Each structure stands twice: as C-alpha cells, then as structure tokens.
C-alpha cells in the first residue's frame, strides 16, 4: 500500500517487517519516521536470504549472534535481540555458547597477517617434520592449507597447532553441538562481515564449509545475510542526529 503522496504506507511497512523479520523495536520505528521507503527497501534487502530458504531461521539468528559479538563489532543491542530470537526458535544455551566460542578463535588472524608480512621479507622459509604434521592437522579441519595459513605454519608450527586445538574446541566434548560445516559457516560470517572483511579467513572458511558438505548457495547466503548489518550505521546515528536537530520519531 502507498500513501496519497505515493510513498509506502508506514503501517503496511511495519506489519510486513514484523511478519518477515519476526521482530520490531524502537530503532525500526525511528527509521520509519525518517523514511518508510528506506525501511521497505531494507526489508527486501535483509529478507532476501530468508526468502531463499537455504538457511534455517534458527541458524540465521545464530549467524547474527556471531557477527554482533565479534571483537570488531561488539554490538550489545544486536546481540541481545538475535540471541533472544534464536532462543525463541529453539536454540539452546550450549548452541549460543558454541557460536561465541567459535567467534573467539578469529583473533588468530593477527598472527596470520604478520606472518605473511614476514614471509614477504624473508622468502626462504624452513620446512620441518613438525610443520608437516601441523599442516596435516589443519587440512583435516579445513580440507586444505591455503598460502596464508601455510606461511604461518612454516614460521611457527607449535603456535599454529595450539590455535587449531583452540579453534576446534567447540566441536569437541559434551557441549559440542555444532557440526564442522556449521562452525565454518559461522566463521565465514565473521570474516566477511563489514567490520572485518578478512579475505584470507573468508577464503579458508568458505572452502572448508564446502568441503564439509555446504552448498554454494549456503556459503553465498551467509555472505548475503550479513551484508545487511551495515544498517547498524543507521541504528547508531539516527538517535544522535534526531537529538542534535530536534527530529522526532
């Protein structure tokens, strides 16, 4: 429905958002006051993956939990909202904690990045038996060893082995509730989100997810899903702009 002025009807946009995204709050109401057309366009953009149906509603919420709790984002409001929705869709505490534990391994890319810089300056890297064993362990988890990880293994196989144990911990023990495929899709979401954009991590986890049985559509839909998190710029800025300019919802 449209208003007499030709724009989308705010009430219709609100109801469509509730139906298709499963929630509504003051942030969306404020955006609706700014521009119903903007919210309607965002709805179509953000609901695209849900419409495709390759990722379950619960898993989509778990992906949002992952991207909202990353060290490069730490968006409390988003984390609370999506964790609440995940629980409503049947997620357990163990699943939420497994997602967070998986995300916590992303800090290792500080070392991967530095190792690559060192390798550029010192091309002749040693190969040892320890390095070969760690490469085999990495390949068992990821399905391959790409160049970025290979450099780090060659420089310090012991450190890399300790990271492999840490990164795979959520897949082991009595609270291991994630499959390897889902863990790699969650890690992929973290590395492709707009606050991270880590090409090496994205490549490694996309390839690993595919090797664990993910379809091309599932891998791309993870990236499509988290593409919508740029909306947090509006969530953050609109209340401040309204305060400074006397705007209202």
């Amino acid at each position: 429905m449209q208003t007499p002025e030709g724009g989308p009807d705010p009430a219709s946009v609100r109801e469509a958002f509730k139906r298709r995204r499963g929630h509504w709050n003051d942030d969306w109401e404020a955006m609706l006051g700014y521009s119903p057309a903007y919210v309607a366009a965002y709805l179509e953009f953000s609901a695209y993956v849900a419409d495709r149906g390759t990722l379950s509603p619960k898993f989509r919420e778990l992906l949002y939990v992952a991207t909202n709790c990353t060290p490069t984002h730490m968006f409390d409001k988003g984390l609370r909202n999506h964790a609440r929705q995940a629980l409503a869709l049947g997620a357990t505490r163990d699943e939420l904690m497994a997602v967070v534990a998986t995300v916590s391994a992303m800090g290792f890319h500080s070392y991967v990045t530095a190792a690559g810089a060192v390798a550029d300056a010192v091309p002749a890297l040693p190969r040892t038996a320890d390095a070969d064993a760690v490469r085999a362990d990495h390949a068992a988890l990821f399905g391959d060893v790409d160049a970025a990880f290979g450099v780090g293994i060659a420089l310090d196989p012991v450190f890399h082995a300790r990271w492999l144990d840490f990164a795979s911990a959520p897949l082991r023990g009595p609270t291991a509730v994630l499959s390897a495929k889902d863990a790699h899709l969650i890690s992929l979401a973290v590395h492709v989100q707009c606050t991270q954009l880590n090409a090496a991590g994205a490549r490694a986890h996309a390839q690993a997810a595919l090797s664990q049985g993910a379809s091309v559509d599932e891998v791309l839909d993870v990236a499509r899903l988290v593409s919508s998190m740029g909306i947090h710029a509006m969530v953050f800025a609109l209340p401040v702009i309204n305060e400074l300019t006397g705007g209202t919802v």
Side-chain angles (χ1 to χ4, degrees), residues 6 23-24 26 41 46 49 67 86 94 104 111 149 157 172 184 202 216:
H23 68 283
W24 184 262
D26 290 345
S46 64
V49 171
T67 56
D94 282 346
S104 72
Y111 169 71
F149 283 107
R172 300 170 180 163
H184 284 300
V216 170

Side-chain angles (χ1 to χ4, degrees), residues 16-115:
F17 196 106
K18 291 178 183 178
R19 183 179 70 255
R20 296 175 66 187
R21 289 297 309 274
H23 68 283
W24 184 262
N25 57 41
D26 290 345
D27 292 328
W28 306 117
E29 193 66 35
M31 287 183 228
L32 195 65
Y34 156 65
S35 171
Y38 176 82
V39 178
Y42 172 74
L43 173 60
E44 294 304 317
F45 176 53
S46 64
Y48 180 82
V49 171
D51 293 343
R52 290 166 59 81
T54 56
L55 305 174
S56 72
K58 184 180 84 170
F59 191 64
R60 292 197 303 271
E61 294 304 323
L62 291 177
L63 289 169
Y64 283 133
V65 167
T67 56
N68 278 282
C69 76
T70 60
T72 55
H73 197 48
M74 291 187 172
F75 185 50
D76 178 84
K77 187 182 293 186
L79 172 60
R80 289 177 181 276
N81 177 45
H82 291 292
R84 188 180 297 113
Q85 291 192 78
L87 290 167
L89 289 165
T92 65
R93 183 181 188 278
D94 282 346
E95 285 177 306
L96 291 174
M97 290 305 301
V99 168
V100 175
T102 299
V103 172
S104 72
M106 68 178 285
F108 180 69
H109 284 263
S110 298
Y111 169 71
V112 174
T113 301

Side-chain angles (χ1 to χ4, degrees), residues 39-238:
V39 178
Y42 172 74
L43 173 60
E44 294 304 317
F45 176 53
S46 64
Y48 180 82
V49 171
D51 293 343
R52 290 166 59 81
T54 56
L55 305 174
S56 72
K58 184 180 84 170
F59 191 64
R60 292 197 303 271
E61 294 304 323
L62 291 177
L63 289 169
Y64 283 133
V65 167
T67 56
N68 278 282
C69 76
T70 60
T72 55
H73 197 48
M74 291 187 172
F75 185 50
D76 178 84
K77 187 182 293 186
L79 172 60
R80 289 177 181 276
N81 177 45
H82 291 292
R84 188 180 297 113
Q85 291 192 78
L87 290 167
L89 289 165
T92 65
R93 183 181 188 278
D94 282 346
E95 285 177 306
L96 291 174
M97 290 305 301
V99 168
V100 175
T102 299
V103 172
S104 72
M106 68 178 285
F108 180 69
H109 284 263
S110 298
Y111 169 71
V112 174
T113 301
V118 169
D120 289 341
V122 187
L125 296 171
R127 288 289 295 274
T128 67
D130 284 344
D132 289 339
V134 173
R135 287 178 67 90
D137 289 344
H138 183 104
L141 185 61
F142 285 86
D144 195 8
V145 181
D146 70 9
F149 283 107
V151 167
I153 293 171
L155 284 173
D156 192 341
V158 174
F159 183 64
H160 194 98
R162 292 186 181 184
W163 173 71
L164 286 175
D165 288 342
F166 179 54
S168 59
L171 302 177
R172 300 170 180 163
T175 58
V177 292
L178 293 178
S179 68
K181 171 188 142 182
D182 286 350
H184 284 300
L185 290 175
I186 288 165
S187 297
L188 172 64
V190 166
H191 289 293
V192 299
Q193 70 184 90
C194 61
T195 57
Q196 187 69 13
L197 297 179
N198 183 338
R203 186 179 302 107
H205 289 290
Q207 293 174 352
L210 291 167
S211 75
Q212 293 291 340
S215 69
V216 170
D217 274 342
E218 286 178 308
V219 169
L220 291 178
D221 275 350
V222 168
R224 292 180 180 115
L225 185 78
V226 302
S227 294
S228 66
M229 69 180 291
I231 194 68
H232 292 171
M234 180 65 76
V235 172
F236 174 73
L238 183 56

